[in-house]
Amino acid sequence: MANCCGAGSGSKLAIGLSAGTPTRMDFIDVHSTKVFKTLSDGSSKTIRGTLDPVDVNVAEGMLFVQFRTKLWLTAAKMAVLLPCLGFTNTSGNDWTLGDSLPASKIIVGPSGSPEVTYDGAVPTDVTWEGRKGSDPIMMDIGWIAKTRATAAAGTFFVSQTSPAMTEGYVYPYPDGAYNVTRLEVEGADRLFPLFRLRLDYGVISEFNQSVTATNLCPTKHDLTFGASALYSTCDSSTDLLSVPMSGDVTGASLTIDLERLVGVTTYETIFNVANMKLLAQDPNIVKNDFIRLPINGKGYATDSTAMLIITNVAS
């Protein structure tokens, strides 16, 4: 008898540009946020002399396809995902966020089930985050797609080894001999137990004489940063509150530097925000804990520099 266990551990994922072949990679989860087809239902407004709705007054509505993919961040995965996230290779290992989003294709192969292909997809938002003593650095991508199609299991994911997996080495959060996580805010290196960088594309959708979306367009870049710091003069962090409270909105660059040494090879992903303006918030005071200062900011471009440039060294 065939094994019919639909366990998540046997599932597969591939992501890439629609114009090419998606790249298989490991992942944490795929979570459907809005994948459903509506009905064009006029039965509730039709007077027939009875109380029951009748099936002839219902037709096909629209298909909304939205979902999220969560992965451990590695330089190898970033090399595949940066073009899908709207970044263009501008120089060497530098990728600059642009104003357009190319169409992407995501293929999911649930264990023991048909494969699902989401095509014409663009990201709605992406979050990079990490926390001390916890999991490695993670990235969480929201997607909205134009189409959803199914195929027999084994159509794209032929076997456990075909197509080959692109994984890379994860970034642990702490600073150590073989990994470095550096954060520079307001012109100085800071010690943070956690951070979160989120980019929202403000995507809007249109259904022009179609059940599925025909237009998916970004309308803005909303980049926000969140962290926490020990609040004291000896931790050199009080300026992170005094500067924004003083009314100074000059801002400064923000750098998040993730680095992993494996043998003699260094893998690195650096987030460079041209200008980050801090939002003032008083510290949290609890008797049996350190005084912690919430750090929140919003990213901006400058006259000479794009808002977000990611340097990615994958080999």
PDB file of all heavy atoms in Angstrom, residues 65-98:
ATOM      1  N   VAL A  65      -5.163  35.328  -4.720  1.00  0.00           N
ATOM      2  CA  VAL A  65      -4.056  34.428  -4.399  1.00  0.00           C
ATOM      3  C   VAL A  65      -2.995  35.199  -3.616  1.00  0.00           C
ATOM      4  O   VAL A  65      -2.199  35.949  -4.187  1.00  0.00           O
ATOM      5  CB  VAL A  65      -3.427  33.817  -5.671  1.00  0.00           C
ATOM      6  CG1 VAL A  65      -2.348  32.828  -5.302  1.00  0.00           C
ATOM      7  CG2 VAL A  65      -4.490  33.158  -6.532  1.00  0.00           C
ATOM      8  N   GLN A  66      -3.002  35.028  -2.316  1.00  0.00           N
ATOM      9  CA  GLN A  66      -2.004  35.661  -1.456  1.00  0.00           C
ATOM     10  C   GLN A  66      -1.483  34.629  -0.451  1.00  0.00           C
ATOM     11  O   GLN A  66      -2.270  33.877   0.133  1.00  0.00           O
ATOM     12  CB  GLN A  66      -2.591  36.869  -0.721  1.00  0.00           C
ATOM     13  CG  GLN A  66      -2.919  38.049  -1.637  1.00  0.00           C
ATOM     14  CD  GLN A  66      -3.508  39.214  -0.890  1.00  0.00           C
ATOM     15  OE1 GLN A  66      -4.626  39.669  -1.169  1.00  0.00           O
ATOM     16  NE2 GLN A  66      -2.747  39.716   0.065  1.00  0.00           N
ATOM     17  N   PHE A  67      -0.162  34.634  -0.247  1.00  0.00           N
ATOM     18  CA  PHE A  67       0.434  33.661   0.669  1.00  0.00           C
ATOM     19  C   PHE A  67       1.779  34.180   1.140  1.00  0.00           C
ATOM     20  O   PHE A  67       2.291  35.198   0.651  1.00  0.00           O
ATOM     21  CB  PHE A  67       0.599  32.292  -0.011  1.00  0.00           C
ATOM     22  CG  PHE A  67       1.441  32.323  -1.261  1.00  0.00           C
ATOM     23  CD1 PHE A  67       2.771  31.935  -1.224  1.00  0.00           C
ATOM     24  CD2 PHE A  67       0.911  32.742  -2.474  1.00  0.00           C
ATOM     25  CE1 PHE A  67       3.549  31.972  -2.368  1.00  0.00           C
ATOM     26  CE2 PHE A  67       1.686  32.773  -3.629  1.00  0.00           C
ATOM     27  CZ  PHE A  67       3.004  32.393  -3.576  1.00  0.00           C
ATOM     28  N   ARG A  68       2.381  33.488   2.102  1.00  0.00           N
ATOM     29  CA  ARG A  68       3.667  33.879   2.667  1.00  0.00           C
ATOM     30  C   ARG A  68       4.627  32.692   2.646  1.00  0.00           C
ATOM     31  O   ARG A  68       4.201  31.538   2.827  1.00  0.00           O
ATOM     32  CB  ARG A  68       3.531  34.390   4.103  1.00  0.00           C
ATOM     33  CG  ARG A  68       2.507  35.504   4.292  1.00  0.00           C
ATOM     34  CD  ARG A  68       2.693  36.212   5.614  1.00  0.00           C
ATOM     35  NE  ARG A  68       3.934  36.981   5.644  1.00  0.00           N
ATOM     36  CZ  ARG A  68       4.043  38.222   5.168  1.00  0.00           C
ATOM     37  NH1 ARG A  68       2.993  38.821   4.627  1.00  0.00           N
ATOM     38  NH2 ARG A  68       5.193  38.858   5.220  1.00  0.00           N
ATOM     39  N   THR A  69       5.901  33.002   2.420  1.00  0.00           N
ATOM     40  CA  THR A  69       6.953  31.989   2.528  1.00  0.00           C
ATOM     41  C   THR A  69       7.959  32.467   3.570  1.00  0.00           C
ATOM     42  O   THR A  69       8.411  33.616   3.533  1.00  0.00           O
ATOM     43  CB  THR A  69       7.680  31.782   1.183  1.00  0.00           C
ATOM     44  OG1 THR A  69       8.168  33.042   0.688  1.00  0.00           O
ATOM     45  CG2 THR A  69       6.735  31.173   0.156  1.00  0.00           C
ATOM     46  N   LYS A  70       8.299  31.595   4.486  1.00  0.00           N
ATOM     47  CA  LYS A  70       9.242  31.922   5.548  1.00  0.00           C
ATOM     48  C   LYS A  70      10.468  31.030   5.401  1.00  0.00           C
ATOM     49  O   LYS A  70      10.354  29.809   5.254  1.00  0.00           O
ATOM     50  CB  LYS A  70       8.589  31.713   6.914  1.00  0.00           C
ATOM     51  CG  LYS A  70       9.356  32.277   8.091  1.00  0.00           C
ATOM     52  CD  LYS A  70       8.591  32.068   9.392  1.00  0.00           C
ATOM     53  CE  LYS A  70       7.282  32.833   9.393  1.00  0.00           C
ATOM     54  NZ  LYS A  70       6.572  32.690  10.701  1.00  0.00           N
ATOM     55  N   LEU A  71      11.669  31.660   5.423  1.00  0.00           N
ATOM     56  CA  LEU A  71      12.903  30.923   5.198  1.00  0.00           C
ATOM     57  C   LEU A  71      13.987  31.425   6.138  1.00  0.00           C
ATOM     58  O   LEU A  71      13.957  32.562   6.606  1.00  0.00           O
ATOM     59  CB  LEU A  71      13.402  31.094   3.751  1.00  0.00           C
ATOM     60  CG  LEU A  71      12.404  31.013   2.593  1.00  0.00           C
ATOM     61  CD1 LEU A  71      11.935  32.411   2.219  1.00  0.00           C
ATOM     62  CD2 LEU A  71      13.029  30.348   1.385  1.00  0.00           C
ATOM     63  N   TRP A  72      15.008  30.560   6.373  1.00  0.00           N
ATOM     64  CA  TRP A  72      16.216  31.034   7.034  1.00  0.00           C
ATOM     65  C   TRP A  72      17.025  31.813   6.014  1.00  0.00           C
ATOM     66  O   TRP A  72      17.180  31.399   4.875  1.00  0.00           O
ATOM     67  CB  TRP A  72      17.054  29.861   7.569  1.00  0.00           C
ATOM     68  CG  TRP A  72      16.375  28.983   8.566  1.00  0.00           C
ATOM     69  CD1 TRP A  72      16.257  27.621   8.527  1.00  0.00           C
ATOM     70  CD2 TRP A  72      15.711  29.389   9.773  1.00  0.00           C
ATOM     71  NE1 TRP A  72      15.559  27.152   9.606  1.00  0.00           N
ATOM     72  CE2 TRP A  72      15.208  28.225  10.394  1.00  0.00           C
ATOM     73  CE3 TRP A  72      15.486  30.621  10.391  1.00  0.00           C
ATOM     74  CZ2 TRP A  72      14.506  28.248  11.593  1.00  0.00           C
ATOM     75  CZ3 TRP A  72      14.777  30.652  11.585  1.00  0.00           C
ATOM     76  CH2 TRP A  72      14.305  29.481  12.167  1.00  0.00           C
ATOM     77  N   LEU A  73      17.539  32.964   6.412  1.00  0.00           N
ATOM     78  CA  LEU A  73      18.304  33.807   5.507  1.00  0.00           C
ATOM     79  C   LEU A  73      19.704  33.233   5.291  1.00  0.00           C
ATOM     80  O   LEU A  73      20.427  32.958   6.244  1.00  0.00           O
ATOM     81  CB  LEU A  73      18.408  35.220   6.081  1.00  0.00           C
ATOM     82  CG  LEU A  73      19.314  36.201   5.341  1.00  0.00           C
ATOM     83  CD1 LEU A  73      18.819  36.410   3.923  1.00  0.00           C
ATOM     84  CD2 LEU A  73      19.374  37.528   6.085  1.00  0.00           C
ATOM     85  N   THR A  74      20.078  33.061   4.022  1.00  0.00           N
ATOM     86  CA  THR A  74      21.445  32.712   3.652  1.00  0.00           C
ATOM     87  C   THR A  74      21.832  33.549   2.448  1.00  0.00           C
ATOM     88  O   THR A  74      20.966  34.033   1.706  1.00  0.00           O
ATOM     89  CB  THR A  74      21.604  31.214   3.294  1.00  0.00           C
ATOM     90  OG1 THR A  74      20.954  30.954   2.035  1.00  0.00           O
ATOM     91  CG2 THR A  74      21.012  30.303   4.361  1.00  0.00           C
ATOM     92  N   ALA A  75      23.139  33.715   2.237  1.00  0.00           N
ATOM     93  CA  ALA A  75      23.598  34.487   1.087  1.00  0.00           C
ATOM     94  C   ALA A  75      23.208  33.801  -0.217  1.00  0.00           C
ATOM     95  O   ALA A  75      22.899  34.464  -1.215  1.00  0.00           O
ATOM     96  CB  ALA A  75      25.111  34.674   1.161  1.00  0.00           C
ATOM     97  N   ALA A  76      23.209  32.454  -0.226  1.00  0.00           N
ATOM     98  CA  ALA A  76      22.852  31.706  -1.436  1.00  0.00           C
ATOM     99  C   ALA A  76      21.386  31.938  -1.811  1.00  0.00           C
ATOM    100  O   ALA A  76      21.050  32.121  -2.985  1.00  0.00           O
ATOM    101  CB  ALA A  76      23.123  30.222  -1.222  1.00  0.00           C
ATOM    102  N   LYS A  77      20.495  31.941  -0.820  1.00  0.00           N
ATOM    103  CA  LYS A  77      19.083  32.197  -1.109  1.00  0.00           C
ATOM    104  C   LYS A  77      18.870  33.642  -1.538  1.00  0.00           C
ATOM    105  O   LYS A  77      18.069  33.935  -2.431  1.00  0.00           O
ATOM    106  CB  LYS A  77      18.240  31.888   0.124  1.00  0.00           C
ATOM    107  CG  LYS A  77      18.156  30.411   0.480  1.00  0.00           C
ATOM    108  CD  LYS A  77      17.397  30.229   1.777  1.00  0.00           C
ATOM    109  CE  LYS A  77      17.453  28.793   2.250  1.00  0.00           C
ATOM    110  NZ  LYS A  77      16.917  28.625   3.616  1.00  0.00           N
ATOM    111  N   MET A  78      19.576  34.558  -0.889  1.00  0.00           N
ATOM    112  CA  MET A  78      19.433  35.972  -1.251  1.00  0.00           C
ATOM    113  C   MET A  78      19.843  36.210  -2.701  1.00  0.00           C
ATOM    114  O   MET A  78      19.245  37.039  -3.393  1.00  0.00           O
ATOM    115  CB  MET A  78      20.272  36.830  -0.311  1.00  0.00           C
ATOM    116  CG  MET A  78      19.643  37.020   1.056  1.00  0.00           C
ATOM    117  SD  MET A  78      18.142  38.035   1.027  1.00  0.00           S
ATOM    118  CE  MET A  78      18.850  39.668   0.973  1.00  0.00           C
ATOM    119  N   ALA A  79      20.850  35.488  -3.184  1.00  0.00           N
ATOM    120  CA  ALA A  79      21.287  35.645  -4.574  1.00  0.00           C
ATOM    121  C   ALA A  79      20.152  35.320  -5.540  1.00  0.00           C
ATOM    122  O   ALA A  79      20.032  35.911  -6.611  1.00  0.00           O
ATOM    123  CB  ALA A  79      22.486  34.745  -4.843  1.00  0.00           C
ATOM    124  N   VAL A  80      19.298  34.375  -5.160  1.00  0.00           N
ATOM    125  CA  VAL A  80      18.147  34.000  -5.987  1.00  0.00           C
ATOM    126  C   VAL A  80      16.988  34.971  -5.794  1.00  0.00           C
ATOM    127  O   VAL A  80      16.314  35.370  -6.749  1.00  0.00           O
ATOM    128  CB  VAL A  80      17.688  32.562  -5.638  1.00  0.00           C
ATOM    129  CG1 VAL A  80      16.411  32.202  -6.393  1.00  0.00           C
ATOM    130  CG2 VAL A  80      18.788  31.562  -5.928  1.00  0.00           C
ATOM    131  N   LEU A  81      16.765  35.397  -4.552  1.00  0.00           N
ATOM    132  CA  LEU A  81      15.568  36.153  -4.219  1.00  0.00           C
ATOM    133  C   LEU A  81      15.675  37.650  -4.490  1.00  0.00           C
ATOM    134  O   LEU A  81      14.649  38.308  -4.711  1.00  0.00           O
ATOM    135  CB  LEU A  81      15.222  35.925  -2.742  1.00  0.00           C
ATOM    136  CG  LEU A  81      14.800  34.503  -2.376  1.00  0.00           C
ATOM    137  CD1 LEU A  81      14.695  34.351  -0.861  1.00  0.00           C
ATOM    138  CD2 LEU A  81      13.473  34.156  -3.027  1.00  0.00           C
ATOM    139  N   LEU A  82      16.870  38.217  -4.474  1.00  0.00           N
ATOM    140  CA  LEU A  82      17.000  39.666  -4.648  1.00  0.00           C
ATOM    141  C   LEU A  82      16.334  40.177  -5.933  1.00  0.00           C
ATOM    142  O   LEU A  82      15.614  41.189  -5.894  1.00  0.00           O
ATOM    143  CB  LEU A  82      18.473  40.071  -4.589  1.00  0.00           C
ATOM    144  CG  LEU A  82      19.056  40.177  -3.171  1.00  0.00           C
ATOM    145  CD1 LEU A  82      20.576  40.303  -3.216  1.00  0.00           C
ATOM    146  CD2 LEU A  82      18.449  41.360  -2.426  1.00  0.00           C
ATOM    147  N   PRO A  83      16.529  39.537  -7.101  1.00  0.00           N
ATOM    148  CA  PRO A  83      15.812  40.017  -8.300  1.00  0.00           C
ATOM    149  C   PRO A  83      14.293  39.935  -8.139  1.00  0.00           C
ATOM    150  O   PRO A  83      13.567  40.815  -8.620  1.00  0.00           O
ATOM    151  CB  PRO A  83      16.312  39.082  -9.409  1.00  0.00           C
ATOM    152  CG  PRO A  83      17.622  38.561  -8.908  1.00  0.00           C
ATOM    153  CD  PRO A  83      17.461  38.445  -7.432  1.00  0.00           C
ATOM    154  N   CYS A  84      13.808  38.885  -7.477  1.00  0.00           N
ATOM    155  CA  CYS A  84      12.365  38.731  -7.262  1.00  0.00           C
ATOM    156  C   CYS A  84      11.813  39.820  -6.348  1.00  0.00           C
ATOM    157  O   CYS A  84      10.631  40.163  -6.421  1.00  0.00           O
ATOM    158  CB  CYS A  84      12.063  37.362  -6.649  1.00  0.00           C
ATOM    159  SG  CYS A  84      12.615  35.947  -7.628  1.00  0.00           S
ATOM    160  N   LEU A  85      12.677  40.359  -5.474  1.00  0.00           N
ATOM    161  CA  LEU A  85      12.256  41.385  -4.524  1.00  0.00           C
ATOM    162  C   LEU A  85      12.431  42.801  -5.079  1.00  0.00           C
ATOM    163  O   LEU A  85      12.283  43.780  -4.348  1.00  0.00           O
ATOM    164  CB  LEU A  85      13.043  41.240  -3.219  1.00  0.00           C
ATOM    165  CG  LEU A  85      12.829  39.929  -2.456  1.00  0.00           C
ATOM    166  CD1 LEU A  85      13.767  39.840  -1.259  1.00  0.00           C
ATOM    167  CD2 LEU A  85      11.376  39.781  -2.011  1.00  0.00           C
ATOM    168  N   GLY A  86      12.775  42.903  -6.359  1.00  0.00           N
ATOM    169  CA  GLY A  86      12.866  44.209  -6.988  1.00  0.00           C
ATOM    170  C   GLY A  86      14.226  44.866  -6.910  1.00  0.00           C
ATOM    171  O   GLY A  86      14.348  46.077  -7.151  1.00  0.00           O
ATOM    172  N   PHE A  87      15.272  44.098  -6.593  1.00  0.00           N
ATOM    173  CA  PHE A  87      16.623  44.645  -6.517  1.00  0.00           C
ATOM    174  C   PHE A  87      17.372  44.363  -7.823  1.00  0.00           C
ATOM    175  O   PHE A  87      17.222  43.294  -8.420  1.00  0.00           O
ATOM    176  CB  PHE A  87      17.390  44.031  -5.349  1.00  0.00           C
ATOM    177  CG  PHE A  87      16.924  44.492  -3.995  1.00  0.00           C
ATOM    178  CD1 PHE A  87      15.801  43.929  -3.399  1.00  0.00           C
ATOM    179  CD2 PHE A  87      17.601  45.487  -3.309  1.00  0.00           C
ATOM    180  CE1 PHE A  87      15.351  44.352  -2.157  1.00  0.00           C
ATOM    181  CE2 PHE A  87      17.169  45.917  -2.068  1.00  0.00           C
ATOM    182  CZ  PHE A  87      16.042  45.349  -1.487  1.00  0.00           C
ATOM    183  N   THR A  88      18.183  45.319  -8.237  1.00  0.00           N
ATOM    184  CA  THR A  88      18.985  45.202  -9.454  1.00  0.00           C
ATOM    185  C   THR A  88      20.461  45.234  -9.095  1.00  0.00           C
ATOM    186  O   THR A  88      20.888  46.045  -8.260  1.00  0.00           O
ATOM    187  CB  THR A  88      18.683  46.361 -10.423  1.00  0.00           C
ATOM    188  OG1 THR A  88      17.283  46.346 -10.743  1.00  0.00           O
ATOM    189  CG2 THR A  88      19.482  46.205 -11.707  1.00  0.00           C
ATOM    190  N   ASN A  89      21.224  44.351  -9.711  1.00  0.00           N
ATOM    191  CA  ASN A  89      22.661  44.304  -9.476  1.00  0.00           C
ATOM    192  C   ASN A  89      23.312  45.538 -10.109  1.00  0.00           C
ATOM    193  O   ASN A  89      23.392  45.665 -11.327  1.00  0.00           O
ATOM    194  CB  ASN A  89      23.241  43.032 -10.068  1.00  0.00           C
ATOM    195  CG  ASN A  89      24.696  42.812  -9.725  1.00  0.00           C
ATOM    196  OD1 ASN A  89      25.435  42.170 -10.454  1.00  0.00           O
ATOM    197  ND2 ASN A  89      25.148  43.338  -8.591  1.00  0.00           N
ATOM    198  N   THR A  90      23.751  46.472  -9.277  1.00  0.00           N
ATOM    199  CA  THR A  90      24.269  47.745  -9.767  1.00  0.00           C
ATOM    200  C   THR A  90      25.793  47.810  -9.802  1.00  0.00           C
ATOM    201  O   THR A  90      26.365  48.584 -10.570  1.00  0.00           O
ATOM    202  CB  THR A  90      23.740  48.911  -8.914  1.00  0.00           C
ATOM    203  OG1 THR A  90      23.903  48.594  -7.519  1.00  0.00           O
ATOM    204  CG2 THR A  90      22.263  49.130  -9.199  1.00  0.00           C
ATOM    205  N   SER A  91      26.455  47.015  -8.958  1.00  0.00           N
ATOM    206  CA  SER A  91      27.917  47.039  -8.940  1.00  0.00           C
ATOM    207  C   SER A  91      28.434  45.892  -8.093  1.00  0.00           C
ATOM    208  O   SER A  91      28.138  45.821  -6.892  1.00  0.00           O
ATOM    209  CB  SER A  91      28.437  48.369  -8.386  1.00  0.00           C
ATOM    210  OG  SER A  91      29.855  48.358  -8.271  1.00  0.00           O
ATOM    211  N   GLY A  92      29.212  44.997  -8.707  1.00  0.00           N
ATOM    212  CA  GLY A  92      29.819  43.906  -7.947  1.00  0.00           C
ATOM    213  C   GLY A  92      28.790  43.093  -7.184  1.00  0.00           C
ATOM    214  O   GLY A  92      27.893  42.480  -7.772  1.00  0.00           O
ATOM    215  N   ASN A  93      28.881  43.119  -5.852  1.00  0.00           N
ATOM    216  CA  ASN A  93      27.945  42.391  -4.991  1.00  0.00           C
ATOM    217  C   ASN A  93      26.803  43.267  -4.490  1.00  0.00           C
ATOM    218  O   ASN A  93      26.040  42.834  -3.625  1.00  0.00           O
ATOM    219  CB  ASN A  93      28.702  41.801  -3.788  1.00  0.00           C
ATOM    220  CG  ASN A  93      29.714  40.748  -4.194  1.00  0.00           C
ATOM    221  OD1 ASN A  93      29.407  39.857  -4.979  1.00  0.00           O
ATOM    222  ND2 ASN A  93      30.927  40.847  -3.667  1.00  0.00           N
ATOM    223  N   ASP A  94      26.686  44.493  -5.005  1.00  0.00           N
ATOM    224  CA  ASP A  94      25.668  45.433  -4.534  1.00  0.00           C
ATOM    225  C   ASP A  94      24.388  45.331  -5.346  1.00  0.00           C
ATOM    226  O   ASP A  94      24.413  45.332  -6.582  1.00  0.00           O
ATOM    227  CB  ASP A  94      26.187  46.874  -4.607  1.00  0.00           C
ATOM    228  CG  ASP A  94      27.301  47.141  -3.616  1.00  0.00           C
ATOM    229  OD1 ASP A  94      27.444  46.345  -2.656  1.00  0.00           O
ATOM    230  OD2 ASP A  94      28.031  48.135  -3.784  1.00  0.00           O
ATOM    231  N   TRP A  95      23.267  45.270  -4.629  1.00  0.00           N
ATOM    232  CA  TRP A  95      21.943  45.197  -5.241  1.00  0.00           C
ATOM    233  C   TRP A  95      21.110  46.364  -4.727  1.00  0.00           C
ATOM    234  O   TRP A  95      20.969  46.555  -3.518  1.00  0.00           O
ATOM    235  CB  TRP A  95      21.262  43.876  -4.888  1.00  0.00           C
ATOM    236  CG  TRP A  95      21.955  42.681  -5.477  1.00  0.00           C
ATOM    237  CD1 TRP A  95      23.117  42.101  -5.043  1.00  0.00           C
ATOM    238  CD2 TRP A  95      21.524  41.924  -6.611  1.00  0.00           C
ATOM    239  NE1 TRP A  95      23.445  41.030  -5.841  1.00  0.00           N
ATOM    240  CE2 TRP A  95      22.479  40.899  -6.819  1.00  0.00           C
ATOM    241  CE3 TRP A  95      20.431  42.016  -7.473  1.00  0.00           C
ATOM    242  CZ2 TRP A  95      22.358  39.969  -7.847  1.00  0.00           C
ATOM    243  CZ3 TRP A  95      20.314  41.093  -8.490  1.00  0.00           C
ATOM    244  CH2 TRP A  95      21.269  40.087  -8.673  1.00  0.00           C
ATOM    245  N   THR A  96      20.558  47.155  -5.652  1.00  0.00           N
ATOM    246  CA  THR A  96      19.824  48.368  -5.296  1.00  0.00           C
ATOM    247  C   THR A  96      18.331  48.187  -5.530  1.00  0.00           C
ATOM    248  O   THR A  96      17.911  47.682  -6.579  1.00  0.00           O
ATOM    249  CB  THR A  96      20.339  49.564  -6.127  1.00  0.00           C
ATOM    250  OG1 THR A  96      21.747  49.728  -5.899  1.00  0.00           O
ATOM    251  CG2 THR A  96      19.610  50.837  -5.729  1.00  0.00           C
ATOM    252  N   LEU A  97      17.549  48.619  -4.554  1.00  0.00           N
ATOM    253  CA  LEU A  97      16.091  48.526  -4.666  1.00  0.00           C
ATOM    254  C   LEU A  97      15.601  49.486  -5.740  1.00  0.00           C
ATOM    255  O   LEU A  97      15.905  50.684  -5.711  1.00  0.00           O
ATOM    256  CB  LEU A  97      15.441  48.862  -3.320  1.00  0.00           C
ATOM    257  CG  LEU A  97      13.911  48.842  -3.273  1.00  0.00           C
ATOM    258  CD1 LEU A  97      13.379  47.446  -3.564  1.00  0.00           C
ATOM    259  CD2 LEU A  97      13.414  49.325  -1.908  1.00  0.00           C
ATOM    260  N   GLY A  98      14.826  48.949  -6.695  1.00  0.00           N
ATOM    261  CA  GLY A  98      14.291  49.759  -7.782  1.00  0.00           C
ATOM    262  C   GLY A  98      12.800  50.001  -7.651  1.00  0.00           C
ATOM    263  O   GLY A  98      12.169  49.591  -6.670  1.00  0.00           O
TER     264      GLY A  98
END
